[in-house]
Amino acid sequence: MMRSARSPLGAPGVFALPDVRPLTLHPQRMDVCAFVGVAARGPAWQPVVDDQWPAGWQMLTEPARPLRRSVAVPVRSVDDYARIFGGLDGPGLLPQAVASFFAQGGQLAWVVRVVHARDAQLGDAHWARLTLPAPFTQPLAFLARNPGRWGAGLRLQCSLSAQPVACEPVPAWPPHVAALTVAPDAALAAGDAVRLWAASGANVLAWCEGVQPVADPVLPQAHAALPRLARAPRTRLQPVFDLGSEADIAALLGGPVVRLEVLRAALQIDDGQGQVERFDDLALSPAHPRSLASVLVAESALVWPHPDWVAQRLVPASLASTGWHGRSTLMHGGQDDFADITPADFFDPLWSPADDAPGGGLMALAVPEAQTVAGEGLAAVTQVVVPDLYMPAALLPDEEAASPDLGAGASFGACVTVTVPTAPPAASMAPSALTGLILDPRKPAELAAITGWQQAVVAFCEATRRIALIDVPPGLSHGAVERWRAAFDSSWVAAYHPWLRDRRGLVPPSAVAAGIVARREREWGLQVGPANEVAREVVDLAERVTEGCVDALHPLGLNAFVRGPRGVELLAARTLSRERAWRQLSVRRIVLMLCRTLHVETQWAVFEPNGPTLWRDLQSAIETLLRRLYQRGVFAGRTEAESFFVRIHTEARRLDRGELCVDIGVAPAEPMEFILVRLRRDADGAFELEA
């Protein structure tokens, strides 16, 4: 709540009054898009970590711990996507869609990898496995971080080093017996593997179970000669080993300890595609916070330690060595389930909006109510694109287009119509890998299936207050397009037509539109319709679109790309709502932004005294926000009174129930779509232009 400013007053005089910072509401960003599709690699079937299932290497040894089939991951560039999801050569359209989003000007996307829903177990045949035969007494197995054949390229290198730690025997206090101690700042902690040396050259491996402070009393004959302030005994750390007492250790070594070394490991992981991870200063015991297993579980994006050894101490193969090195054997195993993926795998039938955790597939984008207050992360996702919901058989590569005879010679031949191929080369699409997703929209039964899956996407977006960007199925006649359009009536969905081709191959128009939406918001503001923009890096339309077709599609609310003088352009930005008030996509985005902003930025009002001070602060903060938006042209009214209003209800019955009801009305500005020009010629030959 906004408080009055007070200045600390002392002696009489003139004081500067502190500035009172009024409550301000900050509009939420609306340019973040989520992509859900099939990738060559990426997070999938991850062990759940929450209040019930804590993090740590123990997660790999709990068979009852559930696995999360789909995980949403933020990416900020094409390089980010390639690093996490395996480059731009995936089996579906997800790589092209994400790359096109960033090419249009997008800055932040969330990506969900879809895999086949099955009874998965961590480390089964779908995970690639490799073995590290040295430098320990037992070979160590590792698993690729997520399933797929991509793990066959993984390679590991491991080395051990001995780091000396200064130690000395001093008389402990009490009792007065020799004790091995180290300096208080020594790099020695519980769980460290320690190599102890005697003067004879004998050595033994010990495990530090902890360190305890001990006092180092000054010898009596020197004590009196020291200044009074220096007579206090210094404090050192005494390691506690699991080999018994120091007398037992001396017996093993044949003499007292004269040298102490801490054994640490270093691990380097290479995925064979340019991504390298290196972890240094790793401990060999699971009791250490930086044990090899713990660090890999928490920090690696490439491998898991195998559950067989994560709870064991790792013993070097030879204690007499001064350095140990080992390389992994070739990876084996790992399976892709591309052929098993069907449109049903993009959804989770067991998930509901009331769940406290996200689900699988598209439902991985669900955000629990308790996590939406921050206004960040997944809660910032506004647009949703599902590029691999189906593979359109109408655009898959078939036979090459025949080269026409252009009649070259001394004279021009007859004009011919050249058919432009409507699909990219087979290498970039790899349609045979996704046989379960191939559907032909030209067949009524398969078109009905496509429509049903798209309706399911829209229903999820309505439940989670996101905007679905979908694609008009290709290869349809105008009548079939009208029948497909009739299946949708929602302001939470916008449809785009036709499919496009860029330098990488086929790309869904919804992905290009998502990038244009982000670019227009940053450059012009939320009130400007995300259309009338050139699609960057798009080289052609994948389907032939005539001017008359576009004229017929626009009244249906279908947003068309056309080839214009500047290149391939997006002409419109409408939703599929039949209500005129929600016809424009920019209107839906403005209202959604206001809802998110008020939900996130007014949490401070909860449990405040429900009285005039709170009412005044709320009204002032909301009106200030709306006034700033009005000044930017977000509203349609000529004055503030015509653009918005804020009314607070203070009826006694509401106050008795602890309620505070605020009515907010806005008139969002609608983009201008048509400019009519009239040209007249007077009798005297003068021209007059009216617009």
Side-chain angles (χ1 to χ4, degrees):
M1 185 188 305
M2 187 165 58
R3 307 290 185 184
S4 60
R6 292 182 177 274
S7 178
L9 302 180
V14 178
F15 297 90
L17 186 64
D19 292 335
V20 179
R21 298 188 62 184
L23 292 171
T24 56
L25 304 181
H26 304 282
Q28 301 294 295
R29 66 183 299 180
M30 304 291 290
D31 64 322
V32 183
C33 184
F35 293 86
V36 182
V38 181
R41 59 191 274 191
W45 298 117
Q46 300 282 352
V48 171
V49 176
D50 54 22
D51 295 338
Q52 180 181 359
W53 302 98
W57 59 262
Q58 294 85 352
M59 70 170 64
L60 302 180
T61 62
E62 300 168 340
R65 183 184 290 254
L67 302 179
R68 183 159 291 153
R69 175 165 63 97
S70 304
V71 180
V73 181
V75 295
R76 298 185 179 275
S77 65
V78 176
D79 291 339
D80 263 4
Y81 177 88
R83 176 177 54 84
I84 301 172
F85 294 96
L88 302 180
D89 55 352
L93 300 178
L94 179 63
Q96 293 92 322
V98 175
S100 184
F101 170 76
F102 288 112
Q104 306 311 316
Q107 291 187 335
L108 175 61
W110 286 76
V111 179
V112 177
R113 178 192 179 189
V114 172
V115 294
H116 179 54
R118 59 186 180 86
D119 186 16
Q121 299 293 327
L122 184 66
D124 61 22
H126 286 73
W127 274 263
R129 178 185 300 194
L130 79 165
T131 303
L132 187 67
F136 303 104
T137 55
Q138 63 178 31
L140 303 183
F142 296 82
L143 302 172
R145 194 71 176 194
N146 44 74
R149 290 191 299 173
W150 70 271
L154 285 169
R155 299 293 182 269
L156 276 79
Q157 296 184 33
C158 184
S159 62
L160 292 179
S161 61
Q163 304 175 8
V165 176
C167 64
E168 58 181 281
V170 299
W173 178 266
H176 295 286
V177 295
L180 186 68
T181 63
V182 297
D185 58 349
L188 184 65
D192 272 324
V194 177
R195 183 167 60 176
L196 304 175
W197 293 84
S200 62
N203 60 63
V204 66
L205 179 67
W207 300 93
C208 180
E209 294 185 341
V211 292
Q212 59 185 10
V214 295
D216 179 13
V218 182
L219 297 178
Q221 58 270 28
H223 190 275
L226 293 175
R228 181 177 299 275
L229 294 179
R231 295 179 184 178
R234 59 176 180 167
T235 300
R236 293 176 61 81
L237 297 180
Q238 179 183 7
V240 178
F241 301 109
D242 65 353
L243 291 180
S245 66
E246 295 190 25
D248 298 331
I249 297 176
L252 289 173
L253 293 174
V257 175
V258 297
R259 182 178 175 87
L260 184 152
E261 296 173 334
V262 177
L263 304 183
R264 296 291 172 87
L267 187 68
Q268 180 172 298
I269 310 168
D270 189 338
D271 69 346
Q273 301 178 18
Q275 183 177 351
V276 178
E277 294 179 342
R278 182 174 178 84
F279 304 100
D280 297 308
D281 202 30
L282 304 176
L284 308 185
S285 170
H288 196 283
R290 278 196 59 82
S291 70
L292 191 152
S294 297
V295 171
L296 289 182
V297 167
E299 302 179 20
S300 177
L302 296 178
V303 299
W304 291 107
H306 197 279
D308 289 347
W309 60 266
V310 293
Q312 301 178 10
R313 291 172 172 174
L314 306 180
V315 179
S318 173
L319 282 182
S321 299
T322 57
W324 303 263
H325 301 277
R327 292 178 179 269
S328 63
T329 59
L330 293 179
M331 221 22 159
H332 64 276
Q335 298 178 11
D336 293 323
D337 54 5
F338 298 145
D340 299 327
I341 298 176
T342 66
D345 293 320
F346 285 76
F347 304 91
D348 188 345
L350 302 180
W351 178 87
S352 75
D355 288 347
D356 294 332
L362 179 65
M363 283 64 183
L365 299 175
V367 183
E369 183 68 21
Q371 298 180 15
T372 60
V373 176
E376 299 177 353
L378 274 177
V381 171
T382 303
Q383 286 75 226
V384 176
V385 176
V386 190
D388 294 327
L389 185 62
Y390 68 98
M391 299 295 294
L395 297 181
L396 294 184
D398 41 21
E399 50 189 43
E400 296 291 334
S403 299
D405 182 7
L406 299 180
S411 61
F412 288 105
C415 294
V416 296
T417 301
V418 179
T419 302
V420 179
T422 59
S428 61
M429 279 273 303
S432 59
L434 298 172
T435 55
L437 295 176
I438 298 177
L439 294 173
D440 192 344
R442 296 166 296 188
K443 299 178 180 179
E446 297 188 16
L447 176 60
I450 293 172
T451 305
W453 295 121
Q454 289 178 327
Q455 288 174 327
V457 172
V458 175
F460 170 78
C461 289
E462 289 180 340
T464 56
R465 303 181 71 81
R466 272 77 173 262
I467 300 172
L469 306 183
I470 64 175
D471 309 300
V472 177
L476 301 182
S477 65
H478 181 71
V481 170
E482 288 186 344
R483 290 189 293 273
W484 174 86
R485 163 66 179 92
F488 300 91
D489 181 14
S490 173
S491 65
W492 297 95
V493 56
Y496 296 88
H497 176 78
W499 289 55
L500 308 172
R501 288 195 294 118
D502 62 10
R503 59 185 177 83
R504 288 171 290 268
L506 189 69
V507 59
S510 58
V512 178
I516 293 176
V517 167
R519 187 206 317 172
R520 292 284 279 188
E521 177 182 338
R522 290 197 324 275
E523 293 180 352
W524 298 96
L526 199 62
Q527 73 279 6
V528 178
N532 194 30
E533 285 282 346
V534 175
R536 299 172 180 171
E537 297 189 7
V538 173
V539 297
D540 201 359
L541 308 178
E543 298 178 89
R544 187 176 180 180
V545 178
T546 63
E547 183 177 350
C549 177
V550 175
D551 293 339
L553 293 179
H554 186 71
L556 299 177
L558 304 180
N559 307 310
F561 285 88
V562 299
R563 175 168 289 282
R566 300 182 298 167
V568 176
E569 300 174 290
L570 175 60
L571 289 187
R574 288 189 170 188
T575 71
L576 294 184
S577 175
R578 294 189 177 92
E579 298 183 37
R580 187 188 182 283
W582 297 107
R583 179 178 60 185
Q584 294 293 336
L585 179 60
S586 59
V587 173
R588 163 48 66 198
R589 286 164 47 78
I590 289 172
V591 175
L592 179 57
M593 180 274 294
L594 288 173
C595 292
R596 286 185 176 180
T597 301
L598 294 172
H599 176 69
V600 172
E601 299 279 339
T602 59
Q603 291 294 321
W604 57 268
V606 179
F607 292 111
E608 289 288 337
N610 196 358
T613 303
L614 176 62
W615 306 337
R616 182 183 66 250
D617 291 347
L618 266 180
Q619 179 140 5
S620 175
I622 297 173
E623 287 182 347
T624 300
L625 169 66
L626 299 179
R627 185 172 297 111
R628 294 203 311 269
L629 296 176
Y630 165 76
Q631 293 169 353
R632 298 177 189 174
V634 175
F635 301 133
R638 292 171 295 180
T639 64
E640 292 184 7
E642 294 179 356
S643 300
F644 63 86
F645 66 82
V646 179
R647 299 180 186 139
I648 296 182
H649 296 271
T650 58
E651 297 89 348
R653 58 185 179 84
R654 294 185 182 275
L655 299 180
D656 291 342
R657 294 197 298 265
E659 296 178 357
L660 177 60
C661 181
V662 182
D663 286 342
I664 302 173
V666 295
E670 289 197 16
M672 178 175 58
E673 293 184 325
F674 306 100
I675 299 177
L676 303 180
V677 178
R678 178 176 297 163
L679 183 64
R680 292 181 179 178
R681 181 178 181 182
D682 296 338
D684 58 358
F687 286 94
E688 181 181 356
L689 180 65
E690 295 180 1

